[in-house]
Amino acid sequence: MSSHYTPPKYDVSVDPARCRLCGRCIENCSYDVFRKSGDKILTYPNNCVVCHRCVAYCPANAIQIKKVSTPYRDHPIWNNEVRQDIYNQARTGKVILGGMGNIRNYPPIFDRLVLDACQITNPSIDPLREPMETRVYLGKKPKKLEFTGKGDDVELKTELSPNLKLETPIMIAHMSYGAVSLNTQLSFAKAAKNVGTFMGTGEGGLNQKLHDYTDNIIVQVASGRFGVNPDYINRGSAIEIKVGQGAKPGIGGHLPGEKVNKYISETRMIPKGTDAISPAPHHDIYSIEDLAQLVRSLKEATDWKKPVFVKIAAVHNSAAIAAGIARADADGVVVDGFRGGTGAAPKVLRDHVGIPIEAAIASIDQKLREHGIRNEVSVIASGGLRNSADVTKAIALGADAVYIGTAALIALGCRVCGKCYTGLCPWGISSQKQELVDRLDPEVGARQVQNLIEAWTHELKELMGAAGINSIESLKGNRDRLRGYLLDSNILDILDVKTVGA
Amino acid sequence: MNAKGSESILIDATGLDYRQLNKKVRGAVKDGKRNILISNVLGQRFIGDGIDKNVEIKITGTAGGDLGAFMDGPVIFLNGNADHAVGNTMSDGMIVIHGDAGDCLGHSMRGGKIFVRGSVGYRVGIHMKQFEEDYPTIVIGGSAQSFLGEYMAGGVILVLGIGRDEPVGSYIGTGIHGGVIYVAGEVDDSDLGVAAKADDVDEEDMKVINDLVDDYNLYFNRKVDTKGMRFTKIVPTSSRPFSNLYTNE
Amino acid sequence: MCGIIGLLNKDGKRIDGRAIKRGLSIMNERGNGQGAGFAAYGIYPDYEDYYAIHVFLDNMKEAKTNVEKEIERWGYIVYSEEIPTNDIRTFEREQIPYRYFFKPDTRKLLGHNYDEKDAVVKMAMRINSKREGSLVFSCGKNMGIFKAAGWPEEVADFYRIENYDAYMWIGHNRYPTNTPGWWGGAHPFGLLDWSVVHNGEITSYGTNKRYVESFDYKCSMLTDTEVVTYLFDLLVRKHGLNPVLAGKALAPKFWKDIDRLPQKERLHHTALRMAYSSAELNGPFAVIVARSEGFIALTDRIKLRPLVLARKDKTVYVSSEEAAIRAMEPDLSELIYPTAGEPLVETLDVVV
């Protein structure tokens, strides 16, 4: 105890009437909340992170977790969280680290956008019985097509750049091997293959066990260049240069040493137990023309056979940056909004830096159109997309496709407790401890993620059909099918969306 | 088929809009006329709409949309082509078209028969219905285009494909959960809609087909011979093809 | 709802507007008196080298002065006059239809990377976005659009279309879905010698509009059909696609069908969908797109709107309803029922 003692947020109790003393809670909890004492299970709730592992595995439903709070006097600005952060920093003198995405109460713009449906003036379309197309091609497209010949006997003269073919616009986001476990990545890879979409390696390299799935894997080249060798970039179906991510715009990846075991060490080529920090910028990209060099050097290294995407965090100047990326020979821009997840990020960056994905996509789409180049590159949105409605709205705002990160983890069982950086994830999702990782069966995990993507894809088709659209190209950037509800006129202008009733 | 009585009337549709024409037709029916001839029809819609008496209407010209819509009993002969939605939601009676017809013929048909000498458009027989022995029938001499029998819940459709390279289009029987579609020739599985499957016809099927072909030959004075013709039958894969799609909130 | 109709004499033989007026009026059930219009080709043989700019003027004072000032920035007005009209009692005369026979000043093109036709497009876009009391509704050579808010017979009589002889006519009977009837909103929509009539509603309009606007077209007519005109101008005139390929880009085959095509066709169709994803039209539609050489007829991929073509000797007809064609020509030699999404192109066999 100390003068900065923070009372526990949760109370964990075991009902002795129900408890069978099987000890599963003790085995399963990574945080040492439970211990046996005689014929009782005692709890130390200060450690509880509400990961739900114990509740899920107790065969007798004997465990109850309650939120408790020792009240502070209410104050509009010196709230509990603010006070506790100061106690923490006074005690430690350090930067507060957090996991997962932005926890501040900024209202999600998606929740203030509604979609259109057809009534009378044109028919809605039944996605079950009539064709409803969600196939997407990601990559560079020609400005126009040139054909030689006449009538039916024509030949395409224009050469097409390599593109990725997706059967659904939903892809699985980049989460590095290190941040997440190998079994997590295997689950994603199998799901992507079965659905006909792609997953990202993240910046942690490509473990050998994923080699069978590279037809559905995009490899990432981030500032730390972990695992980047010719084999890596040639195996991937596409390459993504990660410049930034929504959870921590302006800084690089951060894998705490606790999670750097011998396999991570081998894949990333760094000493075991050290923190794997990626530099803030790529140290060969200090300006937009440098980016063009990196894009072209990667294309040269892969004989121009792989699409190269560039991922940025959504920041104020995203639209202009995206235009620059498009002109730098990149095949697409990936933009990650301020709700993006992470295994570890300084809380202050996670919560206060970056802009919402809705605004970023809308302004990037518009800027690229103003330059007359929107149809030549792909735009991919990510950052806190929670359901098929968010996906549909993101496409209507201008995205060709989306990445889902946190949602895919939740499909595997993640409870978003936000403690990924400890390496103690009891679900085996974001830990590197083998006994924990073994808890996640990739076949089961793959099935769950596949289910999620298929269910969302079906809902997307229902929404498209209701709006009288039977191919996803006609939803892309179609702001007219959105309306803003209780959004101010400035943000409506940026989104190029009218208000409800208009 | 022949209306009883000799009460006939000839209506010249020249220059009449559909409201004027149909008012005359309904007036004739009310007056007890059993044989109504309409000449010079050029696009007037809703002819025979809602008539529930067993009258016979013979039309020459090009009929407009919704010929015989909601009708319950009359027999309509058309010497010419028809437009869209012939027999729309009809309950009973018969329509015989010496020509082609447009899209959505037999939409939501609940009974009665439609015979077309030539070809028809898209979405023919969409949502046909049946209850026990009350069922609708559609016979097409030529071809039908895509979405034939969409949402079909009952009834019989027969497509003979005479003189046409492809008797049917794609998405045949998409969403079918009752009734049967017979198509002359082979049907590629890739042309079947969701929840539809193709089977060989059996003796019972051939009896139904032969009866309908006999009627077709009679009405159109043709000699279609089913011997040597192959037929495919298209039926539902299940009565609840989409029950597995939903999970509760 | 709308009704559309067209006819083309492939030998370039000209007929007056009575036939098309008759055909269009058969489809009055498809309209509601809120708009009708015609486009006629080959009607200004004495001025065939000049662009016939048809303008709606709000008044004969500032509106006229302003638009003439703008036109003269781009070239010369060789001749101009009010378009001859009749007084139609049942008809609100909202605007004054005027026509200018115009020749672009080629000296003004030096140093720019656009040509004469682009200049005319820019001029029309400027006038129509500035809205200083005037609106360009037709700007092609040796053709003209005649439209207003009224029934087809009223509009036909208003413009005296029986006094024009054309080898190709298209017409439209409007039942507006989203905007009230105003003269500018009637079909056909035109740009250069393109004219478009359309039945249906384009659910992809938001996407299509933003696509063409990124190439300096401006959608100012508050009606989705306008964008179809610009898409054809972009794909055919600017990008050089032949009209069949342009039609295939706008109403592409389904992936399930593309996947089964032989390799060359599969590549072509995939390339069209990839390059022209934002040009793709969605929603129910039947369109007739005319230009000097002939017309293109196209329906949406699941044929939600009707369309039928017919022939008699060297004339080809197209309409929403067969009866409308028979009102123009009772004795047809062939009827053609288009397949959903397949463009049908009919062109002149001669040079006119």
Side-chain angles (χ1 to χ4, degrees):
Chain A
M1 308 295 163
S2 74
S3 64
H4 287 44
Y5 174 70
T6 305
K9 297 197 186 71
Y10 310 102
D11 182 32
V12 184
S13 59
V14 179
D15 183 350
R18 291 174 177 234
C19 175
R20 298 181 203 163
L21 289 171
C22 66
R24 288 229 190 109
C25 48
I26 303 169
E27 276 169 43
N28 274 282
C29 178
S30 315
Y31 300 95
D32 291 328
V33 170
F34 300 93
R35 63 190 152 84
K36 190 144 175 247
S37 173
D39 62 350
K40 282 218 291 269
I41 306 279
L42 299 180
T43 67
Y44 186 60
N46 296 48
N47 289 355
C48 179
V49 301
V50 281
C51 71
H52 290 204
R53 183 78 185 181
C54 56
V55 171
Y57 279 80
C58 172
N61 271 328
I63 301 175
Q64 239 200 26
I65 306 179
K66 278 209 222 29
K67 243 170 95 164
V68 297
S69 61
T70 310
Y72 292 94
R73 172 179 159 236
D74 279 341
H75 199 287
I77 66 164
W78 301 105
N79 63 36
N80 298 8
E81 192 193 323
V82 164
R83 282 185 259 226
Q84 276 159 20
D85 282 350
I86 295 177
Y87 296 139
N88 192 343
Q89 294 189 301
R91 202 173 60 239
T92 60
K94 296 183 183 164
V95 169
I96 299 177
L97 208 62
M100 300 313 261
N102 194 329
I103 57 166
R104 292 191 72 73
N105 237 334
Y106 302 111
I109 297 178
F110 283 129
D111 291 346
R112 306 263 177 112
L113 288 170
V114 285
L115 290 157
D116 194 18
C118 292
Q119 295 284 278
I120 298 183
T121 54
N122 54 49
S124 43
I125 298 174
D126 177 350
L128 293 180
R129 297 167 188 81
E130 302 210 6
M132 186 62 66
E133 303 187 298
T134 54
R135 184 183 292 184
V136 176
Y137 281 92
L138 295 178
K140 214 164 193 31
K141 313 279 193 307
K143 186 181 204 71
K144 61 179 195 173
L145 291 182
E146 272 181 58
F147 287 84
T148 51
K150 286 167 96 67
D152 275 335
D153 191 20
V154 288
E155 285 285 340
L156 179 63
K157 212 172 108 182
T158 313
E159 219 182 286
L160 295 176
S161 302
N163 268 245
L164 295 179
K165 178 169 110 174
L166 282 60
E167 295 302 336
T168 166
I170 304 169
M171 299 193 285
I172 305 169
H174 289 260
M175 289 172 267
S176 70
Y177 173 42
V180 300
S181 68
L182 187 56
N183 281 349
T184 299
Q185 287 205 323
L186 274 167
S187 304
F188 290 159
K190 290 173 198 279
K193 181 174 168 160
N194 291 341
V195 170
T197 185
F198 292 84
M199 72 160 269
T201 56
E203 60 188 302
L206 181 70
N207 187 288
Q208 212 181 2
K209 293 222 173 92
L210 292 158
H211 283 186
D212 284 340
Y213 300 94
T214 51
D215 282 348
N216 296 84
I217 296 183
I218 300 172
V219 295
Q220 196 178 72
V221 173
S223 57
R225 304 281 159 96
F226 297 121
V228 180
N229 59 25
D231 180 72
Y232 177 75
I233 52 180
N234 276 294
R235 269 190 202 272
S237 299
I239 302 167
E240 184 173 295
I241 299 172
K242 177 206 168 190
V243 169
Q245 65 182 105
K248 41 188 155 170
I251 70 170
H254 180 140
L255 186 65
E258 288 91 332
K259 293 170 85 172
V260 182
N261 65 14
K262 79 170 199 247
Y263 303 109
I264 306 291
S265 163
E266 183 182 354
T267 314
R268 294 200 184 201
M269 295 181 79
I270 56 169
K272 185 159 149 327
T274 63
D275 297 317
I277 309 281
S278 300
H282 286 247
H283 281 288
D284 54 352
I285 305 176
Y286 292 148
S287 181
I288 191 69
E289 63 268 20
D290 291 346
L291 173 71
Q293 297 310 299
L294 181 59
V295 171
R296 288 168 197 149
S297 74
L298 287 166
K299 291 200 171 201
E300 284 287 317
T302 54
D303 198 19
W304 294 77
K305 290 202 174 85
K306 312 274 177 189
V308 174
F309 303 108
V310 178
K311 174 178 178 181
I312 57 169
V315 293
H316 302 303
N317 212 15
S318 297
I321 297 166
I325 292 171
R327 292 192 190 286
D329 278 337
D331 289 74
V333 179
V334 179
V335 57
D336 197 20
F338 76 160
R339 293 268 178 206
T342 179
K347 178 174 169 172
V348 73
L349 275 151
R350 185 195 67 188
D351 295 349
H352 295 273
V353 185
I355 67 171
I357 187 61
E358 301 91 327
I361 287 292
S363 58
I364 288 174
D365 176 65
Q366 167 126 353
K367 179 70 76 174
L368 293 176
R369 277 187 281 112
E370 277 168 24
H371 286 227
I373 55 174
R374 174 63 186 91
N375 58 313
E376 296 174 42
V377 294
S378 299
V379 175
I380 300 156
S382 67
L385 272 58
R386 306 156 292 179
N387 49 43
S388 54
D390 285 354
V391 172
T392 310
K393 293 170 189 173
I395 296 172
L397 285 172
D400 287 84
V402 305
Y403 273 124
I404 55 167
T406 307
L409 293 174
I410 297 174
L412 292 175
C414 167
R415 271 29 181 206
V416 201
C417 73
K419 297 284 183 263
C420 327
Y421 53 85
T422 61
L424 295 170
C425 174
W427 300 100
I429 297 171
S430 67
S431 174
Q432 299 304 331
K433 289 178 181 299
Q434 200 54 48
E435 66 276 16
L436 297 178
V437 172
D438 285 342
R439 292 179 180 179
L440 174 54
D441 178 348
E443 291 300 327
V444 174
R447 179 81 249 162
Q448 289 163 339
V449 175
Q450 184 182 342
N451 281 347
L452 184 75
I453 297 178
E454 285 176 352
W456 283 16
T457 305
H458 192 86
E459 288 177 342
L460 165 67
K461 290 181 177 184
E462 294 272 359
L463 291 169
M464 283 165 60
I469 289 175
N470 64 14
S471 60
I472 197 151
E473 297 99 299
S474 299
L475 176 66
K476 183 177 64 168
N478 196 343
R479 317 295 178 82
D480 294 26
R481 312 315 296 280
L482 289 170
R483 287 294 187 269
Y485 181 37
L486 300 177
L487 283 171
D488 71 59
S489 57
N490 285 325
I491 195 74
L492 287 176
D493 268 342
I494 293 292
L495 300 176
D496 190 13
V497 166
K498 298 200 188 106
T499 178
V500 288
Chain B
M1 190 191 58
N2 279 315
K4 287 199 170 45
S6 58
E7 286 282 32
S8 305
I9 180 170
L10 170 62
I11 303 174
D12 182 354
T14 311
L16 294 181
D17 75 31
Y18 73 81
R19 293 192 65 171
Q20 296 164 318
L21 172 61
N22 290 332
K23 199 155 174 196
K24 286 188 190 242
V25 172
R26 285 195 294 275
V29 173
K30 201 146 164 247
D31 282 347
K33 303 278 186 262
R34 290 287 162 258
N35 238 303
I36 301 165
L37 293 99
I38 314 176
S39 60
N40 298 314
V41 165
L42 185 61
Q44 286 88 347
R45 298 154 182 268
F46 312 120
I47 302 175
D49 186 335
I51 297 182
D52 59 359
K53 302 271 184 302
N54 291 358
V55 297
E56 195 173 286
I57 305 176
K58 285 200 165 89
I59 307 169
T60 37
T62 308
D66 288 291
L67 174 69
F70 298 105
M71 75 179 208
D72 189 2
V75 173
I76 300 180
F77 291 97
L78 170 62
N79 201 354
N81 295 336
D83 206 281
H84 66 280
V86 170
N88 186 353
T89 320
M90 71 184 253
S91 293
D92 205 359
M94 186 165 70
I95 304 177
V96 177
I97 299 176
H98 291 256
D100 302 319
D103 301 332
C104 291
L105 177 138
H107 168 274
S108 283
M109 219 174 145
R110 308 148 61 85
K113 300 179 200 246
I114 303 179
F115 287 86
V116 179
R117 187 186 196 282
S119 297
V120 293
Y122 286 73
R123 279 181 204 82
V124 164
I126 183 170
H127 226 313
M128 282 166 84
K129 300 166 173 36
Q130 170 169 352
F131 184 63
E132 290 173 352
E133 292 316 305
D134 277 331
Y135 68 84
T137 308
I138 298 178
V139 177
I140 313 292
S143 61
Q145 289 175 299
S146 295
F147 302 102
L148 178 70
E150 184 171 358
Y151 293 100
M152 199 172 175
V156 174
I157 301 178
L158 169 62
V159 182
L160 297 170
I162 302 164
R164 312 291 289 180
D165 289 329
E166 280 171 32
V168 284
S170 306
Y171 301 99
I172 307 166
T174 181
I176 184 172
H177 50 117
V180 60
I181 304 173
Y182 299 116
V183 179
E186 311 251 350
V187 174
D188 211 60
D189 272 350
S190 61
D191 285 329
L192 291 176
V194 156
K197 67 173 179 184
D199 264 344
D200 291 321
V201 293
D202 59 30
E203 251 180 57
E204 281 229 25
D205 294 316
M206 278 319 296
K207 188 169 181 317
V208 172
I209 292 173
N210 283 328
D211 283 346
L212 291 176
V213 170
D214 285 344
D215 285 341
Y216 175 89
N217 284 334
L218 177 65
Y219 296 135
F220 300 120
N221 199 15
R222 297 187 91 170
K223 292 186 173 51
V224 178
D225 185 359
T226 59
K227 275 195 274 298
M229 277 176 91
R230 236 205 87 151
F231 286 91
T232 308
K233 115 171 140 183
I234 292 153
V235 289
T237 54
S238 111
S239 63
R240 290 194 67 187
F242 302 109
S243 57
N244 251 346
L245 219 37
Y246 301 102
T247 179
N248 294 330
E249 201 177 5
Chain C
M1 242 253 255
C2 304
I4 61 177
I5 193 163
L7 62 91
L8 165 69
N9 183 290
K10 290 165 80 96
D11 283 340
K13 181 160 157 270
R14 292 165 163 78
I15 61 166
D16 67 43
R18 284 171 297 171
I20 197 120
K21 167 181 159 184
R22 205 163 54 234
L24 198 52
S25 313
I26 289 280
M27 296 192 291
N28 274 344
E29 185 68 8
R30 302 184 76 90
N32 66 0
Q34 292 216 28
F38 305 90
Y41 287 76
I43 56 170
Y44 297 129
D46 295 339
Y47 289 97
E48 64 180 8
D49 291 328
Y50 303 107
Y51 291 89
I53 317 282
H54 286 197
V55 181
F56 286 135
L57 294 172
D58 282 353
N59 57 61
M60 294 291 266
K61 302 198 210 43
E62 323 82 56
K64 183 166 183 290
T65 329
N66 285 337
V67 78
E68 282 169 14
K69 205 160 65 171
E70 181 65 37
I71 295 175
E72 280 165 346
R73 280 186 58 217
W74 299 84
Y76 312 104
I77 298 173
V78 162
Y79 180 64
S80 70
E81 63 180 1
E82 215 179 299
I83 297 178
T85 54
N86 279 329
D87 252 318
I88 305 289
R89 304 229 142 213
T90 50
F91 194 70
E92 191 68 51
R93 200 187 156 89
E94 286 169 21
Q95 250 115 3
I96 303 157
Y98 215 85
R99 60 187 169 205
Y100 297 92
F101 292 96
F102 167 77
K103 190 176 174 60
D105 183 353
T106 46
R107 291 171 312 170
K108 301 217 162 134
L109 299 173
L110 293 172
H112 292 283
N113 65 347
Y114 54 82
D115 64 17
E116 190 184 275
K117 290 190 169 152
D118 292 320
V120 173
V121 169
K122 281 181 191 301
M123 179 181 82
M125 296 284 151
R126 256 184 79 90
I127 294 171
N128 291 347
S129 11
K130 277 202 307 186
R131 297 297 192 122
E132 286 170 348
S134 62
L135 196 134
V136 172
F137 64 96
S138 185
C139 55
K141 282 186 179 176
N142 200 7
M143 57 79 67
I145 292 175
F146 302 96
K147 65 185 191 179
W151 289 101
E153 302 96 321
E154 291 172 337
V155 175
D157 291 343
F158 177 66
Y159 283 106
R160 307 186 193 168
I161 65 170
E162 68 276 10
N163 291 341
Y164 294 95
D165 294 317
Y167 61 84
M168 175 163 65
W169 287 91
I170 68 173
H172 184 263
N173 197 339
R174 191 171 187 220
Y175 196 136
T177 49
N178 287 314
T179 41
W182 64 296
W183 287 31
H187 307 202
F189 285 91
L191 187 69
L192 299 174
D193 69 336
W194 296 101
S195 61
V196 175
V197 290
H198 163 227
N199 169 211
E201 184 165 285
I202 299 173
T203 54
S204 53
Y205 175 66
T207 303
N208 305 132
K209 163 176 129 95
R210 287 171 177 82
Y211 174 67
V212 299
E213 285 187 343
S214 71
F215 301 109
D216 298 328
Y217 295 90
K218 298 254 174 319
C219 293
S220 49
M221 304 293 184
L222 310 174
T223 304
D224 52 359
T225 310
E226 182 188 9
V227 87
V228 179
T229 323
Y230 305 157
L231 284 169
F232 270 93
D233 188 56
L234 177 66
L235 266 55
V236 176
R237 182 177 66 91
K238 300 292 292 180
H239 289 186
L241 285 182
N242 74 45
V244 170
L245 289 171
K248 289 182 175 171
L250 265 48
K253 277 192 188 305
F254 291 113
W255 289 118
K256 109 167 176 17
D257 297 323
I258 294 176
D259 289 344
R260 283 158 50 202
L261 289 172
Q263 208 214 2
K264 185 168 102 159
E265 279 88 5
R266 190 168 6 122
L267 172 66
H268 289 179
H269 282 90
T270 304
L272 283 168
R273 284 194 80 161
M274 281 171 67
Y276 292 110
S277 58
S278 299
E280 183 180 326
L281 296 175
N282 222 294
F285 67 84
V287 288
I288 304 168
V289 178
R291 65 211 215 283
S292 305
E293 298 96 311
F295 70 76
I296 304 143
L298 184 65
T299 58
D300 68 79
R301 311 183 298 163
I302 52 178
K303 193 105 182 319
L304 292 166
R305 294 283 80 201
L307 199 63
V308 61
L309 279 82
R311 286 189 212 285
K312 169 72 194 270
D313 301 326
K314 295 291 291 211
T315 304
V316 59
Y317 300 91
V318 56
S319 182
S320 310
E321 292 183 15
E322 182 188 325
I325 296 176
R326 289 201 188 263
M328 298 191 288
E329 173 54 74
D331 178 34
L332 297 167
S333 56
E334 190 191 350
L335 276 158
I336 301 152
Y337 302 111
T339 309
E342 292 292 326
L344 286 172
V345 180
E346 291 288 342
T347 41
L348 288 168
D349 286 335
V350 301
V351 175
V352 291

